Amino acid sequence: DGGITQSPKYLFRKEGQNVTLSCEQNLNHDAMYWYRQDPGQGLRLIYYSQIVNDFQKGDIAEGYSVSREKKESFPLTVTSAQKNPTAFYLCASSDAYNEQFFGPGTRLTVL
Amino acid sequence: ILNVEQSPQSLHVQEGDSTNFTCSFPSSNFYALHWYRWETAKSPEALFVMTLNGDEKKKGRISATLNTKEGYSYLYIKGSQPEDSATYLCASLQGGRRALTFGSGTRLQVQP
């Protein structure tokens, strides 16, 4: 089945540790996106990539890093510089500016 | 950062009621307006993508309209059912920014 997978579903991290969230898609989409959701807020854009080997900062990129070495994969690293990393993280992909398809999300908790 | 606003923040209706929500966005450099439905424990799913002023789209009991000149879109649900309970997100794509800006959503609960 075509779709987007994210792993893990739940992730716990100690303060000061970096952690990487996985996002893979087999929809052959060029564009991929990372969003963060906090309680009572909408989706806020962290990073996005329109094509392999290229990515741009979104609205809240500080403390995060990404790579786009393959079309199918867009991993997000939450670094120790991110002051408040506990949140729900959603990955999405799209064909140009058409509708976005979302993964199931990863809930990150910093202990 | 663009300002995309949705109202109301939450809504409780009875089964069979019709309801509507509002999404407002900057009217300048408009490119597209997306609506998504996000059910609990699932991923957001696209309902509509609209680009032209005056666009009206319909999917079953759900429809949406778009006014790009004044910067708003309405989502209508006719005869709400409990399975319509979800958070409805709108998102705007403006020229010069190659990614969507999402509103904070309208949470709908339909009581049987």
Side-chain angles (χ1 to χ4, degrees), chain B residues 38-56:
Chain B
W38 193 358
E39 297 178 67
T40 302
K42 294 187 178 180
S43 306
E45 290 185 344
L47 288 171
F48 306 114
V49 177
M50 296 185 288
T51 57
L52 298 176
N53 185 44
D55 248 355
E56 290 189 28

Side-chain angles (χ1 to χ4, degrees), chain A residues 16-62:
Chain A
Q17 286 182 336
N18 292 355
V19 64
T20 297
L21 282 58
S22 167
C23 177
E24 304 276 332
Q25 56 101 358
N26 61 4
L27 299 167
N28 200 34
H29 287 163
D30 284 318
M32 296 187 74
Y33 311 84
W34 273 106
Y35 297 96
R36 168 181 171 140
Q37 194 209 21
D38 295 282
Q41 297 197 34
L43 301 179
R44 291 187 292 165
L45 183 66
I46 305 172
Y47 267 98
Y48 63 103
S49 168
Q50 297 290 334
I51 199 166
V52 174
N53 291 323
D54 186 49
F55 50 82
Q56 287 80 38
K57 292 182 179 180
D59 301 315
I60 54 166
E62 186 176 349

Side-chain angles (χ1 to χ4, degrees), chain B residues 21-84:
Chain B
F21 328 132
T22 304
C23 173
S24 62
F25 53 87
S27 56
S28 59
N29 296 318
F30 173 81
Y31 189 85
L33 194 285
H34 294 213
W35 280 101
Y36 292 85
R37 175 168 58 199
W38 193 358
E39 297 178 67
T40 302
K42 294 187 178 180
S43 306
E45 290 185 344
L47 288 171
F48 306 114
V49 177
M50 296 185 288
T51 57
L52 298 176
N53 185 44
D55 248 355
E56 290 189 28
K57 298 235 175 174
K58 188 173 181 181
K59 186 182 287 189
R61 294 179 291 99
I62 304 178
S63 61
T65 61
L66 178 67
N67 183 323
T68 62
K69 294 186 189 306
E70 297 183 37
Y72 64 84
S73 174
Y74 294 136
L75 187 79
Y76 300 92
I77 302 179
K78 186 177 178 182
S80 301
Q81 299 296 309
E83 58 265 31
D84 295 328

Side-chain angles (χ1 to χ4, degrees), chain B residues 12-27:
Chain B
H12 289 75
V13 301
Q14 293 295 122
E15 183 174 354
D17 287 349
S18 294
T19 187
N20 65 85
F21 328 132
T22 304
C23 173
S24 62
F25 53 87
S27 56

Side-chain angles (χ1 to χ4, degrees), chain A residues 77-91:
Chain A
T77 297
V78 185
T79 75
S80 56
Q82 168 49 234
K83 291 183 173 29
N84 187 19
T86 294
F88 185 68
Y89 292 87
L90 270 175
C91 177

